[in-house]
Amino acid sequence: MHAPMTSGWLLMALCAATGAYCLVRMRRCAGGAREAAGGEALMGFGMAAMAVPATLLTLPSWHWVVYAVVFAAAALRAISAMRTDRHHVHHLVGCLAMIHMAAAMAGSGGAHVSHGATGTPVLTLALFVYFAGYVLRTGLRLAPVPAPAGAPGTPVPTRGSGPELALACRLSMGLAMLAMLLTS
């Protein structure tokens, strides 16, 4: 992916912070929610590492093969978890996007990738459309809904425990994925 220096650093910081929050959330959750948070932490840290500006660090091409293998294993895990939780379909698409970008980076020797070099603009476009829809849907779920007149107030959740914070993390990773797909 390797975006220009400033946007690369910002994207890296956003993804790393999201991955760190997902690790914290993973400690607080159990069952399927814990697995989902772990998958999102892996995605956040993987995206952060992929967003490091190329002018700072150019990795060897075999490094991207390791990325592809790690996210292929995560994709297999998401496939097995899809039976119990529909959200893992999104994890599968995210893993496939990471594999696609890692393959593009390996093919380019770690430099900025143009679509002519990868030969897969249709796949990039399909992933971009999926993540654009995901970001819009998630953003709408975060939009406040006015309470009916005279309705009692809702209890205030404890700090950092609301489901909207998890949605905000998913939204930020979706936006980061859109940025990465635009530059791949």
Side-chain angles (χ1 to χ4, degrees):
M1 200 238 52
H2 289 312
M5 192 69 124
T6 303
S7 60
W9 280 116
L10 290 173
L11 191 60
M12 187 190 81
L14 173 71
C15 292
T18 301
Y21 173 74
C22 289
L23 277 181
V24 170
R25 198 175 88 230
M26 189 176 152
R27 292 188 59 185
R28 294 181 189 161
C29 299
R34 182 181 177 96
E35 287 182 35
E40 291 163 1
L42 173 68
M43 187 68 66
F45 288 128
M47 290 171 64
M50 198 175 270
V52 173
T55 55
L56 175 73
L57 179 67
T58 301
L59 299 168
S61 61
W62 61 264
H63 180 266
W64 301 113
V65 174
V66 172
Y67 257 77
V69 169
V70 166
F71 282 100
L76 291 174
R77 178 74 179 118
I79 288 170
S80 69
M82 283 187 326
R83 294 182 200 118
T84 59
D85 187 3
R86 200 179 71 161
H87 180 71
H88 288 285
V89 172
H90 173 68
H91 288 182
L92 175 64
V93 174
C95 289
L96 294 176
M98 292 296 282
I99 293 167
H100 170 64
M101 288 187 288
M105 293 299 289
S108 71
H112 182 73
V113 179
S114 67
H115 289 295
T118 62
T120 57
V122 173
L123 179 57
T124 303
L125 179 63
L127 289 168
F128 185 83
V129 167
Y130 170 81
F131 280 102
Y134 180 80
V135 163
L136 289 173
R137 193 183 94 219
T138 304
L140 286 174
R141 289 176 60 196
L142 281 171
V145 177
T154 57
V156 177
T158 59
R159 190 170 149 180
S161 67
E164 54 279 337
L165 196 51
L167 279 176
C169 283
R170 292 176 184 145
L171 177 66
S172 68
M173 282 197 296
L175 287 168
M177 186 64 78
L178 283 172
M180 292 173 87
L181 286 166
L182 274 176
T183 60
S184 69

